[in-house]
Amino acid sequence: LIPVPVLVAEPQSITMVVKTLVCAFSELRVYPGHGKQFVRRDGQALVFLNSKCLSLYKQKKKPGQLTWTQAWRRLNKKGKTITVTRRRNRKTTKFVRAVTGVTKAEIDARRRAPPSAKASSSAKEIAAIKERRRKARAERRRAAKANNAGRRAAPAARNTGRRGR
């Protein structure tokens, strides 16, 4: 007999997928055949890992205050340490819009003007505004005098000493 080499195929590793549920209280995995299911009055079915979780849920205990729950670990930053990389903000680009009554070209010209020209122009503008206000105030006073001239002063109330009788 002559030995013949036999090719044997390597068995592929087959991973079995097990459908696990998550406990509504502790957020731990509940494997098939384990746990308890509780149906609330609103029809929501909740799965609990064990009677301990169900009992604590019924007592209205907060899972975030029990150190063995995933909620507590999340609140107190335990376990996974994921470094968050900051997003780089895009640099804002400035662009000039035309303002009512002033064009973009005029705005650019004012920007390019030397500081002395800016100061003198702003002083002129301020003086013009003050002059307009002064004129408006004088006009209002004239109008008020004209209204008051037609009216006669009301007689002054006399104190009769009768205490409202």
Side-chain angles (χ1 to χ4, degrees):
L1 291 167
I2 302 168
V4 179
V6 179
L7 297 173
V8 179
E10 297 258 341
Q12 292 179 344
S13 60
I14 300 170
T15 55
M16 190 172 140
V17 178
V18 179
K19 187 183 178 194
T20 58
L21 301 168
V22 178
C23 175
F25 187 81
S26 66
E27 298 175 34
L28 296 169
R29 283 190 196 157
V30 180
Y31 288 92
H34 294 264
K36 288 192 170 195
Q37 197 169 32
F38 175 74
V39 181
R40 289 195 309 212
R41 283 184 183 166
D42 63 355
Q44 176 80 30
L46 301 172
V47 178
F48 294 97
L49 179 65
N50 49 28
S51 57
K52 173 184 176 179
C53 293
L54 177 62
S55 173
L56 290 166
Y57 174 80
K58 285 180 176 178
Q59 293 173 51
K60 296 186 177 171
K61 300 288 183 192
K62 293 178 184 172
Q65 293 180 350
L66 299 168
T67 55
W68 55 271
T69 61
Q70 292 300 311
W72 184 89
R73 293 184 67 79
R74 198 180 324 104
L75 287 169
N76 292 281
K77 296 179 176 67
K78 305 292 179 189
K80 296 177 187 175
T81 53
I82 300 169
T83 54
V84 179
T85 55
R86 286 186 180 178
R87 287 184 187 171
R88 290 182 182 161
N89 290 345
R90 293 189 184 117
K91 289 185 179 177
T92 54
T93 54
K94 288 185 179 180
F95 61 97
V96 182
R97 287 187 183 154
V99 184
T100 312
V102 184
T103 62
K104 184 181 180 294
E106 288 176 23
I107 292 170
D108 289 339
R110 284 187 188 180
R111 278 215 181 121
R112 277 189 241 103
S116 60
K118 286 181 187 176
S120 64
S121 66
S122 64
K124 287 176 188 174
E125 288 171 3
I126 290 168
I129 290 167
K130 284 183 179 178
E131 186 59 34
R132 267 185 276 151
R133 285 184 181 165
R134 217 175 287 125
K135 285 181 182 176
R137 199 177 301 127
E139 185 61 37
R140 280 198 303 271
R141 284 183 182 159
R142 263 190 249 116
K145 279 185 182 178
N147 282 345
N148 288 341
R151 293 183 188 159
R152 209 182 60 159
R158 281 184 269 153
N159 186 4
T160 55
R162 290 186 166 191
R163 292 190 185 179
R165 282 185 219 145

